[in-house]
């Protein structure tokens, strides 16, 4: 693909232009979450059309997505650490949009699964490359805000998937099935997937002509890019400082994975329609989710300026603890109004935690492997939140509680069990993470001084890219 945009920009020059790129990437993240999340609103229509079970739906939503996502995310991230990230994002965007349309053309569970895998393959390109670009464009003291805006874009897209998706389904359901050449009868939910595949193509064209690839910010003593094996050794060698940080934030996705079945919970438990659920949950995500993510990132920037290098971890732990009573009562109450109100609060608080995850992971990794560190975090997070939990919930419903109406108890069990696991992992990571980041900062200062004197120092024990820490 020919890049007609201006030459690559130096980091930190033209900060206003940098914020344009952040917004453009945030919108891209929103489109990806819209395309992947819309399926949660049409689970029962898909079941009715294809005559399949909750467990089969869970397999299609979760493992079918994560299989290809996990297979390609690390190789793509490795490319993003050394190749043109703009082109990588574009290729992924056009591909996942095509697979979203193919999902709507499917006539059986096997084609649905294949299309869902394709969506995962395409979306695996966006976040590692996008976060890497942001880190090269935005000054460090604004990284939290910038990456949380990128995260907020995904939350906004997820909210619009239910809000606009609910309205779209209401309109299409009123019109009923239509007949198209070569496809035959197309149900309203299938029409919807064909329609929502279009924005990704339009946005890709905007990126082609208005966004440019930035110059990478890599210290003089670092390699241009680490291999996948070297990146893995770096993370494993820092079990508490980096690995526990990644796993702790990844476990947050267990709580968001519960959200895959939350629209169905409201429909089954309280008799609400898809349009009602879509409007309610969509508004929660649209306002509470977006504001929560941006506020979380801004709060960590504020705390870090005042010497709290563990700000991201502290904000996430407080958010998870605050959510616990909301999760318990929100799934057992008999009042639809109370359940909806608590769902709104959960969205706000969980978004604060998610808003601080990406910048924390990127801070823990050197520039030579930043995309791969983010990809490993996403691999773990999506494996839990998209691959495992959406399948675990219906398995509990079908084989433990033996009642589709017991969905609320499956959601409750998963939410409660995930909470202490998140807290323990982040507590283990907190102090080692601070020491690790301070060590990298000190090494970067020493490298900059040596570079100015035309002398490149040997890596120190604490800051060396590959030397394990105890």
């Amino acid at each position: 693909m020919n890049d007609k945009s201006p030459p690559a920009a130096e980091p930190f020059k033209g900060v206003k232009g940098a914020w344009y790129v952040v917004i453009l990437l945030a919108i891209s993240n929103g489109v990806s979450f819209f395309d992947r999340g819309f399926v949660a609103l049409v689970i029962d229509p898909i079941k009715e059309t294809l005559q399949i079970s909750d467990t089969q739906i869970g397999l299609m939503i979760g493992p079918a997505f994560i299989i290809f996502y996990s297979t390609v995310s690390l190789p793509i991230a490795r490319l993003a650490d050394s190749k043109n990230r703009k082109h990588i994002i574009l290729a992924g965007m056009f591909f996942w949009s095509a697979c979203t349309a193919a999902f709507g053309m499917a006539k059986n569970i096997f084609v649905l699964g294949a299309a869902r895998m394709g969506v995962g393959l395409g979306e695996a390109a966006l976040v590692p490359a996008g976060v890497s670009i942001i880190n090269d464009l935005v000054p460090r003291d604004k990284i939290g805000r910038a990456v949380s805006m990128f995260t907020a874009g995904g939350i906004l897209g997820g909210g619009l998937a239910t809000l606009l998706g609910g309205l779209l389904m209401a309109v299409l359901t009123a019109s009923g099935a239509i007949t198209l050449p070569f496809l035959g009868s197309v149900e309203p939910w299938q029409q919807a997937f064909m329609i929502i595949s279009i924005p990704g193509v339009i946005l890709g064209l905007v990126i082609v002509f208005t966004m440019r690839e930035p110059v990478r910010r890599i210290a003089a003593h670092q390699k241009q890019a680490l291999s996948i094996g070297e990146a893995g050794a770096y993370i494993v060698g820092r079990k508490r400082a980096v690995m526990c940080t990644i796993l702790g934030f990844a476990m947050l996705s267990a709580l968001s994975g519960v959200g895959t079945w939350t629209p169905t919970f409201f429909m089954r438990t309280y008799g609400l329609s898809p349009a009602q659920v879509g409007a309610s949950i969509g508004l929660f995500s649209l306002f509470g989710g977006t504001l929560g993510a941006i506020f979380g990132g801004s709060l960590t920037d504020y705390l870090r300026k005042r010497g709290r290098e563990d700000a991201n971890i502290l904000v996430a732990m407080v958010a998870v603890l605050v959510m616990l009573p909301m999760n318990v009562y929100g799934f057992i109450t008999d009042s639809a109004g109370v359940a909806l109100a608590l769902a709104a609060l959960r969205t706000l608080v969980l978004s604060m935690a998610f808003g601080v995850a990406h910048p924390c992971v990127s801070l823990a990794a050197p520039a030579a492997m930043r995309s791969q560190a983010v990809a490993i975090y996403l691999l773990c997070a999506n494996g839990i939140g998209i691959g495992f939990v959406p399948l675990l919930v219906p398995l509990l419903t079908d084989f433990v509680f033996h009642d589709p109406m017991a969905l609320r108890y499956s959601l409750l069990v998963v939410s409660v069990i995930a909470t202490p696991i998140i807290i323990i992992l982040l507590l283990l990571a907190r102090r080692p993470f601070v020491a690790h980041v301070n060590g990298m900062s000190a090494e970067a200062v020493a490298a900059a001084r040596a570079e100015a004197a035309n002398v490149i120092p040997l890596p120190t024990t604490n800051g060396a890219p590959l030397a394990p820490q105890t």
Side-chain angles (χ1 to χ4, degrees), residues 101-360:
F103 193 97
M105 301 176 190
K107 297 296 184 181
N108 57 64
I109 188 66
F110 302 106
V111 177
L112 278 183
R116 185 73 172 173
M117 289 178 186
V119 173
L121 191 156
E123 292 188 0
L126 177 60
V127 177
V131 172
S132 178
I133 287 174
I134 291 171
N135 273 276
D136 282 338
L137 283 177
V138 179
R140 189 180 184 278
D141 62 346
K142 295 180 174 63
I143 286 292
R145 191 180 314 164
V147 181
S148 67
M149 285 177 61
F150 176 74
T151 305
I155 296 171
L156 179 63
L160 290 174
T162 50
L163 178 61
L164 297 183
L167 296 175
L168 178 62
M169 280 301 298
V171 172
L172 295 176
T173 301
S175 301
I178 61 174
T179 301
L180 294 178
F182 306 109
L183 297 178
S185 179
V186 180
E187 296 295 326
W189 66 267
Q190 295 174 305
Q191 300 168 40
F193 277 100
M194 295 179 193
I195 293 171
I196 67 174
S197 69
I198 297 172
V201 177
I202 296 174
L203 182 61
L205 295 175
V206 173
I207 291 175
V208 167
F209 295 107
T210 67
M211 179 179 141
R212 56 185 178 178
E213 172 77 3
V215 172
R216 297 177 188 272
R217 188 174 78 229
I218 298 180
H221 65 284
Q222 291 180 346
K223 295 181 179 181
Q224 289 298 304
L226 301 185
S227 69
I228 294 175
E230 289 172 325
Y234 183 96
I235 292 171
V236 173
R238 294 156 175 79
K239 291 183 175 62
R240 291 182 62 180
V242 182
M243 191 164 70
C244 283
T245 299
I246 289 175
L247 293 178
F249 281 113
M251 276 300 300
L252 287 171
S253 293
L255 300 178
S256 66
V258 166
T260 303
W261 286 92
T262 299
T264 305
F265 155 72
F266 280 110
M267 291 180 223
R268 289 185 188 176
T269 305
Y270 304 110
L272 302 180
S273 69
Q276 289 173 316
V277 173
S280 300
I281 295 180
L283 287 172
F284 301 162
S285 298
L286 191 63
F287 295 105
T290 305
L291 292 175
I294 295 174
F295 176 72
S298 299
L299 179 60
T300 57
D301 282 344
Y302 173 83
L303 293 173
R304 191 173 292 106
K305 286 179 181 178
R306 281 150 182 79
R308 294 308 306 242
E309 198 63 57
D310 60 349
N312 297 63
I313 292 175
L314 287 177
V315 170
M317 287 195 300
V318 170
V320 170
L321 290 174
V322 169
M323 282 185 62
L324 181 58
M326 300 179 192
N327 284 326
V328 172
Y329 193 67
F331 290 123
I332 63 174
T333 180
D334 291 327
S335 169
V338 171
L340 286 168
L342 289 174
L345 289 175
R346 286 201 308 270
T347 299
L348 174 66
V349 177
L350 182 59
S351 298
M352 288 179 58
F354 270 112
V356 305
H358 285 110
C360 192

Side-chain angles (χ1 to χ4, degrees), residues 64-86:
F65 179 91
I66 206 64
I67 283 173
F68 265 88
Y69 194 104
S70 60
T71 301
V72 303
S73 59
L74 282 176
I76 289 177
R78 176 69 178 85
L79 289 175
D81 278 331
S82 58
K83 304 298 181 181
N84 189 300
R85 292 161 290 187
K86 171 184 169 180

